């Protein structure tokens, strides 16, 4: 695991965007051999998306041959609801870049048969040749996508019931009213993320310090599902200083020294 420690949120976002852009450009994607990018929602990736948009606008990056797969979506929330992950992605990212609509994949939380929807999603990822780079955020309780504490660490895309912690955390997007937060979501599994060739996890802010400690310094545990990334051959955690408050001094110093001057 690589751990990149940046001074603040903006620098963390910039580092992550530079890395993602570099990967896409290096892959030199074509219609026959597109780049498959896994996308998260939430406040963590907003800065990263802004930076990627800037790169597109500057002509440094094209999404013409990029296929995206989003991590998750609420169950039973209208796609056009401002807080649906469909709305989030188009508002904050897709509408500002040259991605083709048919190359965007987001789980449909209103599908008639949710189990079939999840199985098809896995199949679509497989048919596309797997995900090259899965970007992600992490919940304060260490969850990745909507893989809540206690999720199987080999899970695939499926329906999950949200924990009270997540409902409370996400109520900030629903006028602070827990009752308005959907209680279930469709989400890629930890196994789905682990199958990606690379994973890049964003973690910022003091409220994520415990999660980062478990992901980087703790044991692999289904109670902190993002900790499974310790088992991934190519996982990068990009964080800001504030999120490092619970790391041991030795861990913190090691990763700073190790990464000095590297990208
Ligand atoms: C939600 C999403 C996760 C996200 C997490 C953290 O629960 N399902 O994918 O990583 O929230 O969100 P934020 O980045 O807003 O802290």
């Amino acid at each position: 695991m690589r751990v990149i420690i940046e001074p603040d949120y903006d620098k963390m976002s910039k580092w992550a965007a530079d890395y993602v852009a570099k990967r896409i450009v290096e892959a030199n994607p074509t219609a026959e051999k597109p780049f498959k990018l896994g996308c998260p929602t939430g406040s963590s990736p907003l800065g990263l998306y802004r930076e990627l948009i800037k790169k597109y606008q500057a002509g440094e990056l094209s999404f013409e041959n990029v296929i995206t797969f989003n991590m998750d979506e609420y169950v039973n929330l209208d796609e056009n609801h401002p807080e649906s992950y469909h709305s989030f992605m188009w508002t904050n990212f897709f509408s500002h870049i040259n991605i083709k609509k048919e190359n965007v994949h987001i789980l449909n939380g209103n599908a008639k048969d949710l189990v079939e929807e999840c199985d098809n999603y896995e199949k679509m990822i497989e048919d596309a040749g797997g995900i090259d780079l899965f970007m992600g955020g992490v919940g304060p309780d260490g969850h990745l996508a909507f893989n809540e504490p206690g999720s199987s660490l080999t899970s695939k895309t499926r329906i999950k019931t949200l924990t009270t912690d997540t409902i409370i955390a996400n109520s900030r997007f629903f006028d602070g009213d827990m009752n308005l937060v959907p209680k279930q979501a469709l989400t890629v599994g930890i196994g789905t993320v682990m199958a990606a060739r690379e994973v890049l996890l964003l973690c910022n802010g003091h409220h994520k310090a415990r999660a980062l400690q478990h992901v980087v310094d703790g044991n692999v545990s289904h109670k902190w599902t993002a900790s499974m990334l310790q088992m991934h051959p190519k996982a990068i955690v990009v964080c800001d200083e504030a999120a490092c408050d619970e790391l041991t001094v030795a861990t913190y110093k090691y990763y700073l020294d190790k990464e000095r001057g590297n990208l």
Side-chain angles (χ1 to χ4, degrees):
M1 177 184 273
R2 280 179 78 185
V3 179
I4 310 294
I5 302 168
E6 290 292 317
D8 54 38
Y9 178 75
D10 288 346
K11 294 209 170 65
M12 174 196 83
S13 305
K14 178 118 190 17
W15 194 100
D18 286 349
Y19 189 86
V20 173
K22 190 168 174 251
R23 277 286 174 268
I24 296 174
V25 170
E26 275 173 4
N28 196 16
T30 59
E32 294 71 39
K33 207 180 131 294
F35 190 90
K36 285 90 63 187
L37 185 65
C39 297
T41 51
S43 40
S44 310
L46 282 173
L48 161 63
Y49 289 146
R50 275 196 295 270
E51 292 294 330
L52 288 175
I53 293 166
K54 273 196 224 158
K55 287 178 190 295
Y56 161 69
Q57 287 169 343
E60 295 165 20
L61 184 61
S62 169
F63 292 87
E64 198 187 345
N65 294 312
V66 174
I67 297 188
T68 62
F69 288 93
N70 258 81
M71 287 195 136
D72 43 17
E73 177 57 288
Y74 291 113
V75 166
N76 238 339
L77 186 68
D78 194 284
E79 250 181 44
N80 298 316
H81 187 287
E83 294 306 333
S84 80
Y85 289 170
H86 279 77
S87 298
F88 176 98
M89 289 309 294
W90 284 99
T91 307
N92 295 300
F93 191 33
F94 296 148
S95 304
H96 310 280
I97 57 172
N98 64 335
I99 194 141
K100 294 178 182 146
K101 200 164 189 285
E102 63 271 25
N103 284 348
V104 169
H105 302 89
I106 307 179
L107 283 153
N108 176 7
N110 294 294
K112 264 211 192 92
D113 187 335
L114 294 174
V115 174
E116 187 182 65
E117 171 69 14
C118 294
D119 292 347
N120 283 343
Y121 202 68
E122 281 292 330
K123 179 132 193 349
M124 277 195 291
I125 294 175
E126 207 183 299
D127 290 348
I131 290 173
D132 294 306
L133 173 58
F134 225 133
M135 308 180 289
V138 60
D141 61 357
H143 75 235
L144 178 57
F146 268 128
N147 292 282
E148 299 286 36
S151 293
S152 155
L153 297 178
T154 58
S155 49
K156 295 292 183 180
T157 305
R158 70 216 182 291
I159 311 167
K160 283 298 291 184
T161 298
L162 307 187
T163 61
T164 306
D165 276 352
T166 298
I167 292 172
I168 292 171
N170 290 4
S171 65
R172 70 191 194 279
F173 300 116
F174 293 85
D175 301 328
D177 185 348
M178 277 175 67
N179 298 314
L180 299 178
V181 184
K183 304 291 173 283
Q184 288 190 311
L186 303 186
T187 179
V188 295
I190 293 294
T192 318
V193 179
M194 290 295 288
R197 288 173 196 95
E198 274 191 83
V199 183
L200 185 146
L201 191 78
L202 297 167
C203 186
N204 65 281
H206 180 76
H207 63 303
K208 300 285 178 76
R210 280 188 72 211
L212 190 68
Q213 189 268 328
H214 281 274
V215 171
V216 174
D217 259 342
N219 301 322
V220 173
S221 163
H222 71 161
K223 297 307 272 182
W224 300 83
T225 55
S227 66
M228 186 61 179
L229 292 181
Q230 292 174 24
M231 304 291 284
H232 196 286
K234 229 172 165 202
I236 307 182
V237 177
V238 196
C239 54
D240 67 357
E241 287 279 349
C244 293
D245 285 1
E246 302 279 340
L247 296 182
T248 63
V249 174
T251 299
Y252 173 77
K253 278 165 63 180
Y254 172 71
Y255 283 115
L256 271 186
D257 286 348
K258 186 169 166 279
E259 293 296 340
R260 223 155 250 156
N262 283 339
L263 178 64

